[in-house]
Amino acid sequence: MTELPTRFHDWFAARGWHVHPHQQEMLDRADAASLLLIAPTGGGKTLAGFLPTLAELAEGGHQGLHTLYISPLKALAADIRRNLGTPIADMDLPVRVEDRTGDTSSHVKRRQRADPPHILLTTPESLALMLSYEDAPRIFAGLKRVIVDEIHALSESKRGDQLMLALARLQTLVPGLRRVGLSATVEDPEGIGRFLARHPDPCEIIHADPGPDPDISMLQTDEAPPWSGGGGKYAIPAVLDQVRRHRTTLIFHNTRAQAEIFFHELWLANEDALPIGIHHGSLAREQREKIEAAMVRGDLRAIVCTGSLDLGIDWGDVDLVIQIGAPKNVKRLVQRIGRANHRYNAPSKALLVPANRFEIVECVAALQAVRERDLDGDPRGPGPRDVLCQHILISAAAGPFDADDLYAEVTSAGAYAGLSRAAFDDCLDFVATGGYALRAYDRWQRLVQRDGQWQLRDPRASRRIRMNIGTIQDSDLLKVKMRGRGGAPLGEIEEGFAATLTPGDTFLMGGRVVRYESLREMTVEVTRRADKPPKIATFMGTKFATSTQLSQRILSMFRQDGWPELPGHTAEWLALQRDRSKLPEADRLLIESFPHDGREHTCVYGFAGRNAMQTLGLLLTARMEEMGLHPMGFVSTDYAVLIWGLDRLEDPAPLFQAENLRNAFETWLAGNAVMKRTFKASAVIAGLVDRTASPGQRKTGKQATFSADILYDTLRRYDPDHLMLQITREEALKGLVDFGRIEEMLARTSGRIDHVTLPRVTPLAAPLFLEAGRVPVEGAATERLLEEEAERLMETAGLDTLEPAPSRWRVPY
Amino acid sequence: MNGHAFEFAGTRLVAQGSGALWWPEQRLLCVSDLHLGKSERMARRGGAMLPPYEVRDTLARLERDIEAADPARVVCLGDSFDDVAAAGALEDAALDWIARLQAGRNWVWIVGNHDPAPVALGGALVETYEDGPLTFRHIAAPAAQGEVSGHYHPKAALSLRGRQVTRRCFLHDASRLIMPAYGTYTGGLRWTDPVFGELLPGPGRAILTGQRAHAVPLPRSVATG
């Protein structure tokens, strides 16, 4: 137990503050080996985390590092340093605080290793890097506490797995280390506790007062939402009206592309020229910082944003959060709502804007869940093995290690507690020898065993290991800047999108229409000349699937006799569906077949989330192709997949037999583009291929390294059981393929299929016809498209006439 | 085998979908930048330990091309080995395989920047090989005519109704032909790179590799870079 020194009480009193109960409790239980604080946004969480540290350091006398603070955001580390500076200066505490991130200069980093501050603020990647140095034991000697901020966010990604392996290492270096986690409201605090604590030790959990219920409702608009789509454009007048009536509004979108379009439309309608900005992860840092600074000064009335503002700096002035599009996930919605009204004990105010008719139902279901404090979330799976491979490399860079010791250390991280010795040894073998069926590298092993200790064969390899540390996926991005010397950087677009642009094309960037002029040294140069309708840039960024729990709520709403909680037009729509066909049920699978526009259509209401429904569409069309039903394409949403083709599906039952579906899945999966993308990400993390230099750093005239796709194909051909292919499969199943949700759908409906055959389109299926993202079913289509395009281009260029012979010519062997 | 036939320096050549060049008149098959032993070299230097299957994959493809065309002469246009030590480290099975491919044919190794020294394999080692109007060398020389070279590993990127397709490719204009890399583990240089604008200033053409070779005009943005 840590007593708060008198000068702290005086400091609080001088500011008219008092110590919150949860802050006092953090002090009382400061000796706990693991301590997790669950508090809503604005609950003084960070100060609660640091109070015990400041109290312990207040008397002076501590030498070296005392507390390590880890946050997912670099910006947050810098922000905390400023915030801690106030009490430390006011109370004249003998405490030195510094941050250390990718932005810290190398000479400061060197000095920090030689003479660490009392409190070091850093990120998971920078910590992993520090642990890769031989002098790590000296840097961390004397460390007492580690504070993991926003642990709920970190626990959802591989960055969290890497961090927990790093904490396991730290605990070996400093056995008395105490772990503290700070989390927003989550559905499973015990799960986060197991993630944080040293396995199998318990984690103490403190719940702060969750505060009053949020004031949350659906935005009333004069115009009804459209039948499909995701933009929320119809709501712009109502949104502007709300912005006018509040001090500061955050307008959240689910994707960056939607944020860009909405922002553009908003400005076209913004007759009062209200100061409104945009903020998302693909904008240049300079642009984002400008917006953040304007926000802090109170210069902005609204910010159109994405998940990039889910975490971070507290902005006290926000009094309204608007969520455009169904929230997909109740937990994230609650965390977003918390960003309004950071004053503790004031209710947060939020409005939901369904983007289309079906999302009205989803929004109402989400509102109910928020009111009942029923949060969703999937249990964490076991720790990924690509991250483990990187951790083994990091350990080797730090010095020789014993495999038994490392195995014991790794399994003390909650996520890896269930890791078998055999699975660990596979990873170690992969790191040491490549793990290939063909033992080719006996002379050139990366790790060799000397006197029972594993170590790098060539110590110079440690440099390459350090350069590749981290688990964040970089896609190939190109910088965008205004043309001319010293033109302002605007942000980044995907290389693939840039390749679709020709000079003169326009696109949206930071809410402005810009014109593509040229590609210069791998930087896209643009001007302001907006003389064409803009193309929509594609951004990497996750598209979230509607959570299982939210889907279940929607299905239970369908069981009601009537829907007084829904707007009239929506309730009538559902009633009409019930009248004409059926409404989907949780324990049955509704499938409708009907002709439309000369094609046979089949609609499957699987309610398994967009990723799984997309996978289901691919699998079903592949099976229908085999059955000779000539499917031509499909489109999927979070709740259904609509397939069209030449022949009517008479009996869907065989299609949905779990065994058939699983077999089709295995065949389909191996050759899928999703697998290649997943392989690339895992291969970088596991240290098989280097993190590529971003295209902007590539020198002209120099070839890029060959693509990871080639490695994937080579492994599949010659070494199909290789560890990297096993890891790829595990990761793909969890992520984009989401086959788990298809399994869940099959288990829940268990062969109970309602196949309804109708003469025409049903009310519930109708919006799917307007949905974007139709996927054509094709075989050799790429070759055919390529041929057409080549002919078209040659013709356009007038080159076809120069051709001495037909452009296709069979070689007469 | 689907190739694309075209006129170059008064000869009739066929760019194969595999990335090999076939000159029917001389029964000459040319491949460039095999980079055999790349995985061994990277591992030796403490780099990545790549799947050690690229030698057999590259040779298997070369064997298919040789079997289909039955060339009298095979020209390897330089960087056939990732370095001289990698050539020396080839397994016996690979050496035997190469010897089998060479049997009964005239085989020319052109030196590249990766493999400047002779290797203990059959065939002739030369800086350049001239045959009629064509000159074969590894790196394009200034003001050359009828030149076939490699080194740059060109690759094309096209957008097909929103789908991005990249392929290794041949690039040529009236005086120069630049070959795609043939080795399994070889990266590519975008056809829009300024270096190609300098080497191929005239109206040029790219021939994309793949199941079938397709010719498209070389985008002119290379000149403005």
Side-chain angles (χ1 to χ4, degrees):
Chain A
M1 162 143 180
T2 308
E3 277 301 329
L4 199 56
T6 325
R7 55 177 147 165
F8 282 72
H9 285 292
D10 296 345
W11 181 75
F12 271 88
R15 325 197 116 216
W17 293 358
H18 61 273
V19 181
H20 287 310
H22 63 266
Q23 292 173 332
Q24 184 59 49
E25 213 175 336
M26 289 291 281
L27 283 161
D28 295 344
R29 292 157 82 170
D31 291 338
S34 298
L35 187 56
L36 173 64
L37 172 64
I38 310 273
T41 330
K45 210 162 37 192
T46 315
L47 189 56
F50 277 107
L51 269 181
T53 293
L54 295 179
E56 286 171 30
L57 287 171
E59 300 316 313
H62 182 87
Q63 292 299 314
L65 197 55
H66 178 282
T67 294
L68 193 59
Y69 164 90
I70 294 139
S71 100
L73 299 177
K74 282 190 263 189
L76 205 50
D79 192 48
I80 300 281
R81 181 167 50 83
R82 280 190 297 274
N83 292 350
L84 280 178
T86 310
I88 289 171
D90 289 355
M91 291 185 274
D92 196 21
L93 301 176
V95 177
R96 185 154 62 96
V97 185
E98 290 175 14
D99 57 349
R100 178 191 181 100
T101 64
D103 296 342
T104 309
S105 73
S106 57
H107 88 269
V108 170
K109 281 183 176 168
R110 253 197 314 278
R111 193 205 15 86
Q112 284 173 340
R113 276 166 62 191
D115 176 24
H118 298 112
I119 300 176
L120 186 65
L121 314 165
T122 190
T123 58
E125 291 72 29
S126 288
L127 173 60
L129 185 58
M130 276 189 276
L131 285 169
S132 76
Y133 291 110
E134 284 179 21
D135 58 357
R138 198 187 44 72
I139 303 172
F140 295 105
L143 182 68
K144 303 287 182 211
R145 305 179 78 225
V146 56
I147 301 172
V148 182
D149 202 356
E150 311 276 16
I151 191 171
H152 62 283
L154 281 170
S155 77
E156 285 177 358
S157 75
K158 290 185 179 179
R159 302 180 71 198
D161 294 304
Q162 174 158 59
L163 174 60
M164 290 308 145
L165 289 172
L167 292 198
R169 184 94 264 269
L170 274 178
Q171 198 91 52
T172 304
L173 299 178
V174 200
L177 180 68
R178 289 165 282 156
R179 306 178 181 199
V180 176
L182 308 176
S183 171
T185 322
V186 286
E187 82 288 358
D188 180 19
E190 287 74 23
I192 304 265
R194 282 192 299 278
F195 174 69
L196 171 67
R198 182 186 191 285
H199 180 80
D201 299 349
C203 181
E204 297 187 29
I205 300 176
I206 294 172
H207 291 268
D209 179 355
D213 281 337
D215 168 8
I216 169 172
S217 56
M218 228 164 19
L219 178 68
Q220 300 300 320
T221 54
D222 295 334
E223 204 182 322
W227 285 107
S228 73
K233 184 182 165 190
Y234 77 99
I236 280 180
V239 167
L240 271 176
D241 187 48
Q242 291 295 331
V243 170
R244 234 174 263 124
R245 288 199 268 151
H246 289 84
R247 227 173 21 248
T248 313
T249 305
L250 292 185
I251 305 170
F252 277 103
H253 287 262
N254 290 334
T255 70
R256 293 171 197 181
Q258 277 169 2
E260 283 282 356
I261 300 165
F262 190 87
F263 182 69
H264 182 65
E265 301 282 349
L266 199 60
W267 267 99
L268 294 179
N270 185 6
E271 284 160 6
D272 306 346
L274 296 168
I276 299 175
I278 181 166
H279 190 287
H280 64 70
S282 292
L283 295 177
R285 184 154 60 102
E286 294 85 345
Q287 300 288 319
R288 278 179 296 174
E289 284 173 353
K290 222 192 280 178
I291 289 293
E292 287 164 17
M295 189 74 179
V296 170
R297 285 195 307 271
D299 289 352
L300 293 179
R301 295 292 297 280
I303 298 187
V304 173
C305 58
T306 64
S308 66
L309 285 192
D310 273 347
L311 301 175
I313 300 134
D314 284 0
W315 288 329
D317 264 358
V318 175
D319 53 349
L320 177 65
V321 164
I322 296 180
Q323 161 73 33
I324 311 276
K328 307 285 169 202
N329 174 309
V330 179
K331 182 169 54 177
R332 193 168 332 105
L333 175 64
V334 167
Q335 289 162 3
R336 278 185 180 172
I337 295 168
R339 300 205 62 82
N341 249 348
H342 270 185
R343 277 162 311 149
Y344 200 48
N345 284 336
S348 311
K349 189 170 172 194
L351 290 167
L352 300 190
V353 181
N356 59 49
R357 210 58 72 91
F358 192 85
E359 286 192 354
I360 296 176
V361 184
E362 197 175 322
C363 282
V364 168
L367 285 174
Q368 288 172 353
V370 171
R371 268 183 223 119
E372 292 165 22
R373 299 185 180 223
D374 176 19
L375 303 187
D376 42 15
D378 296 316
R380 271 196 125 253
R385 285 194 282 168
D386 49 1
V387 178
L388 176 60
C389 291
Q390 187 178 114
H391 184 71
I392 296 173
L393 281 169
I394 291 170
S395 307
F401 65 86
D402 178 89
D404 294 341
D405 294 347
L406 186 60
Y407 175 67
E409 187 180 288
V410 161
T411 49
S412 78
Y416 293 90
L419 181 78
S420 73
R421 181 60 194 249
F424 172 84
D425 286 340
D426 285 348
C427 291
L428 179 56
D429 182 45
F430 165 75
V431 169
T433 72
Y436 299 106
L438 174 70
R439 308 303 285 192
Y441 297 127
D442 288 347
R443 285 172 69 200
W444 312 122
Q445 284 191 199
R446 185 152 45 179
L447 304 190
V448 292
Q449 213 173 3
R450 292 190 192 117
D451 310 325
Q453 301 272 97
W454 287 96
Q455 52 202 285
L456 293 173
R457 173 180 61 83
D458 181 349
R460 287 171 301 180
S462 58
R463 192 170 162 267
R464 183 173 167 263
I465 293 169
R466 291 192 184 108
M467 283 175 62
N468 286 306
I469 282 179
T471 60
I472 302 174
Q473 262 187 62
D474 319 320
S475 60
D476 291 330
L477 296 171
L478 294 182
K479 292 212 171 344
V480 181
K481 74 185 242 323
M482 294 305 283
R483 185 173 219 172
R485 194 183 289 267
L490 299 178
E492 293 167 332
I493 54 176
E494 278 184 52
E495 200 173 358
F497 174 68
T500 68
L501 297 171
T502 49
D505 280 352
T506 63
F507 60 100
L508 286 168
M509 188 85 226
R512 281 186 296 217
V513 182
V514 292
R515 184 176 190 268
Y516 176 91
E517 298 293 347
S518 63
L519 186 67
R520 210 181 180 81
E521 280 156 17
M522 304 312 281
T523 298
V524 174
E525 295 199 327
V526 297
T527 57
R528 272 310 159 63
R529 237 171 69 200
D531 43 12
K532 270 202 216 175
K535 291 191 171 192
I536 303 310
T538 50
F539 300 103
M540 279 299 282
T542 338
K543 283 198 181 110
F544 293 105
T546 301
S547 71
T548 313
Q549 290 88 333
L550 204 46
S551 304
Q552 284 301 317
R553 271 185 181 271
I554 295 166
L555 286 169
S556 13
M557 276 177 71
F558 285 164
R559 282 210 310 265
Q560 296 168 206
D561 292 332
W563 298 277
E565 69 275 43
L566 292 176
H569 49 67
T570 306
E572 284 157 25
W573 172 52
L574 294 185
L576 195 64
Q577 167 72 16
R578 179 174 280 165
D579 187 47
R580 295 263 172 84
S581 171
K582 282 166 92 64
L583 278 168
E585 295 172 56
D587 56 352
R588 309 185 70 81
L589 185 61
L590 174 62
I591 299 172
E592 294 173 337
S593 291
F594 46 81
H596 179 71
D597 224 6
R599 302 264 180 262
E600 292 297 337
H601 288 75
T602 293
C603 191
V604 181
Y605 297 93
F607 280 85
R610 68 163 59 243
N611 295 332
M613 292 310 287
Q614 169 100 6
T615 301
L616 188 63
L618 290 164
L619 291 179
L620 291 178
T621 48
R623 293 269 296 137
M624 288 167 77
E625 178 85 39
E626 282 168 22
M627 291 163 69
L629 294 174
H630 303 102
M632 296 169 68
F634 73 92
V635 67
S636 53
T637 66
D638 276 298
Y639 62 98
V641 57
L642 176 69
I643 300 169
W644 53 91
L646 297 179
D647 300 306
R648 167 168 297 207
L649 174 67
E650 302 292 349
D651 178 16
L655 276 180
F656 288 90
Q657 270 163 22
E659 225 21 65
N660 289 348
L661 214 48
R662 253 177 239 128
N663 290 341
F665 177 67
E666 291 300 329
T667 324
W668 164 80
L669 184 64
N672 192 271
V674 167
M675 288 292 272
K676 291 191 173 174
R677 210 181 322 160
T678 310
F679 173 81
K680 184 179 180 192
S682 284
V684 169
I685 293 172
L688 178 61
V689 298
D690 286 334
R691 205 172 275 284
T692 43
S694 77
Q697 294 162 332
R698 233 183 269 154
K699 283 204 195 79
T700 136
K702 194 133 170 80
Q703 306 130 11
T705 48
F706 59 97
S707 78
D709 291 3
I710 290 172
L711 294 186
Y712 177 76
D713 289 336
T714 307
L715 277 176
R716 272 190 64 210
R717 198 169 304 141
Y718 299 103
D719 206 342
D721 296 325
H722 189 259
L723 178 72
M724 278 312 305
L725 294 184
Q726 296 173 27
I727 292 177
T728 303
R729 197 173 179 287
E730 284 163 16
E731 295 301 308
L733 289 191
K734 278 192 262 182
L736 289 166
V737 173
D738 211 3
F739 196 69
R741 297 259 324 247
I742 297 180
E743 294 272 16
E744 183 268 336
M745 176 197 85
L746 292 173
R748 144 166 76 82
T749 55
S750 176
R752 289 179 292 269
I753 293 175
D754 294 321
H755 187 216
V756 184
T757 307
L758 302 131
R760 61 191 147 121
V761 181
T762 62
L764 206 53
L768 288 159
F769 283 85
L770 308 168
E771 200 60 50
R774 291 169 157 241
V775 181
V777 171
E778 54 198 335
T782 304
E783 286 303 314
R784 214 188 66 220
L785 287 173
L786 195 54
E787 193 170 317
E788 286 169 16
E789 178 70 0
E791 274 169 23
R792 191 188 67 76
L793 286 170
M794 293 300 275
E795 204 174 324
T796 315
L799 286 173
D800 53 331
T801 52
L802 301 178
E803 197 60 57
S807 63
R808 268 171 280 136
W809 191 70
R810 188 159 273 275
V811 187
Y813 292 135
Chain B
M1 183 60 59
N2 281 300
H4 174 85
F6 62 106
E7 296 275 342
F8 177 70
T11 61
R12 182 169 187 81
L13 302 174
V14 182
Q16 307 282 33
S18 66
L21 182 72
W22 174 234
W23 186 2
E25 195 191 338
Q26 298 295 327
R27 295 194 42 234
L28 181 151
L29 186 79
C30 176
V31 290
S32 186
D33 296 272
L34 303 179
H35 285 272
L36 297 172
K38 179 160 182 157
S39 56
E40 190 272 344
R41 173 168 171 253
M42 288 186 77
R44 181 183 351 125
R45 299 169 128 214
M49 287 182 295
L50 300 177
Y53 306 107
E54 107 281 5
V55 172
R56 65 167 85 161
D57 193 71
T58 304
L59 290 180
R61 287 186 297 113
L62 183 56
E63 182 168 49
R64 281 200 291 278
D65 272 334
I66 287 178
E67 278 178 358
D70 190 21
R73 187 183 303 274
V74 174
V75 176
C76 296
L77 208 49
D79 287 1
S80 304
F81 305 95
D82 210 43
D83 67 1
V84 175
L90 287 181
E91 292 166 43
D92 288 346
L95 297 174
D96 293 347
W97 198 346
I98 294 172
R100 234 171 23 245
L101 296 178
Q102 290 178 329
R105 292 175 226 291
N106 197 317
W107 195 282
V108 179
W109 300 107
I110 286 174
V111 298
N113 52 313
H114 278 254
D115 51 358
V119 294
L121 290 161
L125 181 78
V126 296
E127 286 281 338
T128 57
Y129 172 74
E130 292 184 17
D131 198 340
L134 300 186
T135 303
F136 296 83
R137 66 165 63 90
H138 182 58
I139 304 181
Q145 290 292 326
E147 178 194 72
V148 179
S149 67
H151 181 63
Y152 290 104
H153 305 197
K155 73 172 179 197
L158 278 179
S159 172
L160 307 172
R161 299 191 206 162
R163 177 183 316 201
Q164 170 88 356
V165 174
T166 55
R167 294 280 168 89
R168 299 176 187 191
C169 64
F170 299 80
L171 299 179
H172 77 94
D173 61 7
S175 44
R176 246 191 249 281
L177 168 63
I178 301 176
M179 297 271 295
Y182 193 87
T184 297
Y185 288 179
T186 49
L189 182 63
R190 280 281 170 101
W191 60 352
T192 48
D193 194 278
V195 76
F196 295 127
E198 287 156 25
L199 288 171
L200 306 165
R205 206 181 295 186
I207 305 166
L208 278 57
T209 61
Q211 278 175 33
R212 187 143 74 199
H214 297 287
V216 300
L218 191 55
R220 274 301 94 188
S221 55
V222 292
T224 59

